[in-house]
Amino acid sequence: MGLVNISYTSSDGTKFDLMAKGFRRISAGAFHDWKWAPDTTARQYGVRINKMQKKALEYEAKIMFQGTANERRKALNSFHSAIDMDCFNQDPGTLRWGNSYIRSYITESSVEPDKERPDRTINKVKFYCPVPFWYTEQTISVAPVSDHTALDTDKAYIDTEGENFGYGYPYSYKVELAAPHMDINHYAPSDFRLIIYGPAVNPTINIAGNQYKVNYSMEDGQVLIIDSRSTQPWDRRVYLVAGQTVINVFDYRDPAGSILKKIPPGDIAIGYARTYGIELTVYKERSEPEWITS
């Protein structure tokens, strides 16, 4: 297995490449270690599992800083200022391993010289991850389609004399489009972020049999966001962005559907009027970063 890109991005967006040659390079870190904690009730024989729980994750790692003494001091100052700021602000950074990431603080740090290499300094750190899951993202964007246009990727037909013109045929009749599909290669339901681009009136999206509807009118240039992640602030679960203004519209959700319901894995259909554009991102949750395959 080849080298995997590993990085830490602080909460202010400063990225530190932990596999870079020269100033810093991570030399240890068991990021694939994980453990579930069963909540049990004793039985005559064995136990009954009530639920499976997970504690916050902690990873220890060594980061090697290499260069002249002055270069190493500058690099350590920059890195430690960023990770210390995350803890002061209680705003975690992002630890990334390949295509997977986890929100993290660096809560412990110690520095010592490398006894074998005088041009290197060893920085021992501990990553603390309050939400004990790694995420990989998958996104689909669906553009709006009028009555007289179609996209090459859409299955379209003309409802005249039963003729079927297949894909992307130029015509001037009313078009019926098959629902876009998203193949979610995972083993569990996923949290999601659904972005709806205005204008739209009472936007309604049906995903895998569940209705995501907000009874609110959107103007051109406005964006409606539905975010199912429980780590989001309460007023950033269903909200409208209008320029610099953010409006919490959670109370406008339609009771006919479960607006924060996770999306199941597999081949899912996304059905809606297609008069406005949407973007759907699913957050595939794992106990470890996804192993890189060739």
Side-chain angles (χ1 to χ4, degrees):
M1 184 170 59
L3 292 177
V4 177
N5 291 326
I6 304 174
S7 66
Y8 183 83
T9 302
S10 61
S11 57
D12 70 347
T14 304
K15 181 178 178 180
F16 299 91
D17 183 355
L18 302 183
M19 294 299 291
K21 294 181 179 180
F23 288 157
R24 53 187 173 270
R25 186 180 183 91
I26 195 164
S27 63
F31 299 125
H32 286 83
D33 291 353
W34 54 274
K35 181 180 180 180
W36 286 90
D39 175 17
T40 64
T41 300
R43 305 178 68 177
Q44 181 179 2
Y45 303 108
V47 298
R48 181 181 70 246
I49 295 179
N50 302 315
K51 58 184 176 180
M52 300 295 288
Q53 304 176 115
K54 290 194 75 175
K55 296 180 179 179
L57 290 175
E58 290 186 332
Y59 301 111
E60 294 183 352
K62 291 181 181 180
I63 303 173
M64 314 296 292
F65 287 79
Q66 184 172 343
T68 66
N70 196 49
E71 287 173 335
R72 282 176 280 150
R73 293 190 191 104
K74 287 182 177 179
L76 283 164
N77 278 334
S78 176
F79 183 54
H80 289 179
S81 294
I83 63 179
D84 204 25
M85 175 195 64
D86 294 344
C87 292
F88 268 113
N89 296 334
Q90 295 188 34
D91 190 4
T94 301
L95 173 63
R96 183 173 291 275
W97 195 98
N99 294 323
S100 302
Y101 66 88
I102 190 169
R103 301 302 300 279
S104 172
Y105 296 95
I106 296 179
T107 54
E108 295 184 27
S109 172
S110 63
V111 176
E112 61 186 39
D114 188 333
K115 296 178 181 178
E116 298 179 356
R117 292 281 301 271
D119 64 334
R120 293 200 310 195
T121 299
I122 301 172
N123 188 189
K124 296 179 181 179
V125 299
K126 180 176 288 186
F127 295 94
Y128 180 82
C129 310
V131 179
F133 293 106
W134 292 79
Y135 296 92
T136 58
E137 296 182 5
Q138 185 175 341
T139 298
I140 184 174
S141 297
V142 184
V145 179
S146 70
D147 286 346
H148 302 291
T149 62
L151 304 177
D152 290 341
T153 55
D154 291 314
K155 295 179 180 179
Y157 66 88
I158 304 174
D159 191 16
T160 58
E161 307 297 326
E163 293 181 291
N164 189 342
F165 292 97
Y167 293 84
Y169 190 89
Y171 39 74
S172 58
Y173 298 92
K174 181 178 177 61
V175 176
E176 292 187 20
L177 298 169
H181 281 248
M182 185 178 190
D183 188 8
I184 302 174
N185 181 19
H186 198 41
Y187 47 77
S190 300
D191 276 315
F192 69 92
R193 182 185 63 206
L194 175 62
I195 303 176
I196 302 169
Y197 298 95
V201 177
N202 302 335
T204 305
I205 318 291
N206 291 290
I207 303 175
N210 185 55
Q211 178 178 276
Y212 301 85
K213 181 178 181 180
V214 180
N215 295 314
Y216 202 91
S217 294
M218 304 167 56
E219 298 178 3
D220 188 21
Q222 295 182 339
V223 175
L224 178 68
I225 299 175
I226 303 171
D227 197 321
S228 71
R229 293 173 293 177
S230 61
T231 53
Q232 292 294 100
W234 66 271
D235 59 346
R236 293 296 185 274
R237 305 298 295 280
V238 184
Y239 60 101
L240 183 79
V241 179
Q244 300 299 315
T245 303
V246 178
I247 304 170
N248 178 21
V249 294
F250 186 82
D251 290 341
Y252 291 88
R253 68 194 186 282
D254 195 284
S258 179
I259 202 162
L260 299 179
K261 183 180 179 180
K262 291 186 177 184
I263 296 175
D267 185 12
I268 63 165
I270 305 171
Y272 76 108
R274 299 290 296 275
T275 55
Y276 44 86
I278 67 169
E279 180 178 284
L280 174 64
T281 299
V282 294
Y283 302 95
K284 296 182 284 188
E285 194 174 72
R286 300 173 56 90
S287 292
E288 61 184 7
E290 190 172 29
W291 292 92
I292 305 300
T293 59
S294 57

